Amino acid sequence: MRVKDLFKQKKVFSFEVFPPKNTSSVDVIYNTLDQLGDLRPDFISVTYSAGGSGNSGLALDIASKVKSMGVVPVLHLPCINYTKSQIDETIANARARGIDHILALRGDINPDIPPAEDFTHASELIEYLRTKGDFDIAAACYPEGHPDSDSLDEDIDNLKIKVDAGADHLITQLFFDNEFFYEFREKARAKGINVPIEAGIMPVVNKKQIERMVTTCGASLPHKFVKIMQKYENNPEALRDAGIAYAINQIVDLAAGDVDGVHLYTMNNAYVARKISEAVSGIIEV
Ligand code: FAD
């Protein structure tokens, strides 16, 4: 079943994985996928690096593996560094493998890689994909506003262009304070954005992730979150359990707030995904 139709029946619960940088870790990711597949998510999305780094070549193979497990694969497709003919090639390869769900993205602009200039925004890629056949198309959104926008209102106006271009559903950037999600959703609905909005939840379970959160993620870190991370940052097991519990609390609250779905940034960690899935299965119909 298409993901856009699933939203009409239930809260959607999905996972995100990324291709390993090192090709010698391919067996590890396939093993992780087997474990994630056992949790029966509604789809698994596979990231694709905008600049082609991070072993994006593996993304299609990983998406094919997801499909072979009987789970819907969603292929991320950034456009800023790709020409139309490169995009054509990727979608033809996806089609040939039976992959018909795409998360259409601009991609982050890398100062060392000049944009390919065929696409400036994700909305243009979505318009283009709509001329290429029947894809189920997701797009990204930002509860705290995208860093390139001057305000959340401006970003939501641009999001409306993206949805009007043909996005079937939206997946949010990670956030640690659900109030940002609720305020964003209310504003988006008020501006006529009526497609399902899945909340992107990132369980922070190790010290490396905390450091990355603090320096690069752009999401606000609520006092409660910082207190927990500081308390357990040097106790790996406690930090893992605290990060899992924090994510579960976020999901329980979101479900009570009638969220359309939850997208778990698994960081390729099947243990964490399993703990969270088990804890919320009755609430979110996993
Ligand atoms: P856009 O929708 O193009 O928005 C970018 C900026 O331009 C925003 O400020 C927006 O307000 C503005 N804008 C948008 N449309 C218009 C318009 N028509 N006119 C004027 N301004 C406009 N990156 C990767 O490289 N690979 C991945 O696999 C990947 N996966 C992601 C998954 C999720 C769920 C999310 C939330 C992000 C992901 N990213 C990924 C990161 C993403 O590529 C970056 O956040 C990027 O900076 C913006 O992408 P976008 O598709 O949201 O861009």
Side-chain angles (χ1 to χ4, degrees), residues 3 26 40-41 53 80 82 86 104 127 138 143 152 161 184 191 199 210-212 226 232-233 244 247 262 270-271 275:
V3 168
V26 170
R40 305 316 300 163
S53 61
I80 190 74
Y82 298 105
Q86 287 171 314
E127 248 172 55
L152 179 60
I161 299 173
F184 160 78
K191 288 190 192 230
I210 300 181
E211 281 152 11
R212 212 175 312 126
V226 173
Y232 300 119
E233 66 181 343
I244 290 171
V262 171
Y271 172 87
K275 287 286 174 196

Side-chain angles (χ1 to χ4, degrees), residues 16 47-50 76 78 103-108 121-123 140 142 146 148-149 155 158 161-162 171-173 265:
E16 179 169 312
T47 69
Y48 198 103
S49 153
H76 294 211
L103 172 53
L105 298 151
R106 181 192 72 180
D108 281 323
H121 292 295
S123 54
Y142 302 83
H146 187 277
D148 291 358
S149 288
D155 196 33
N158 292 331
I161 299 173
K162 197 151 72 170
I171 305 178
T172 77
Q173 177 63 288
Y265 294 102

Side-chain angles (χ1 to χ4, degrees), residues 16 18 21 28 64 84 113 116 120 123 151 158 161 178 265:
E16 179 169 312
F18 58 85
K21 280 210 170 80
V28 178
S64 298
K84 279 189 177 163
I113 305 176
T120 311
S123 54
S151 67
N158 292 331
I161 299 173
N178 289 357
Y265 294 102

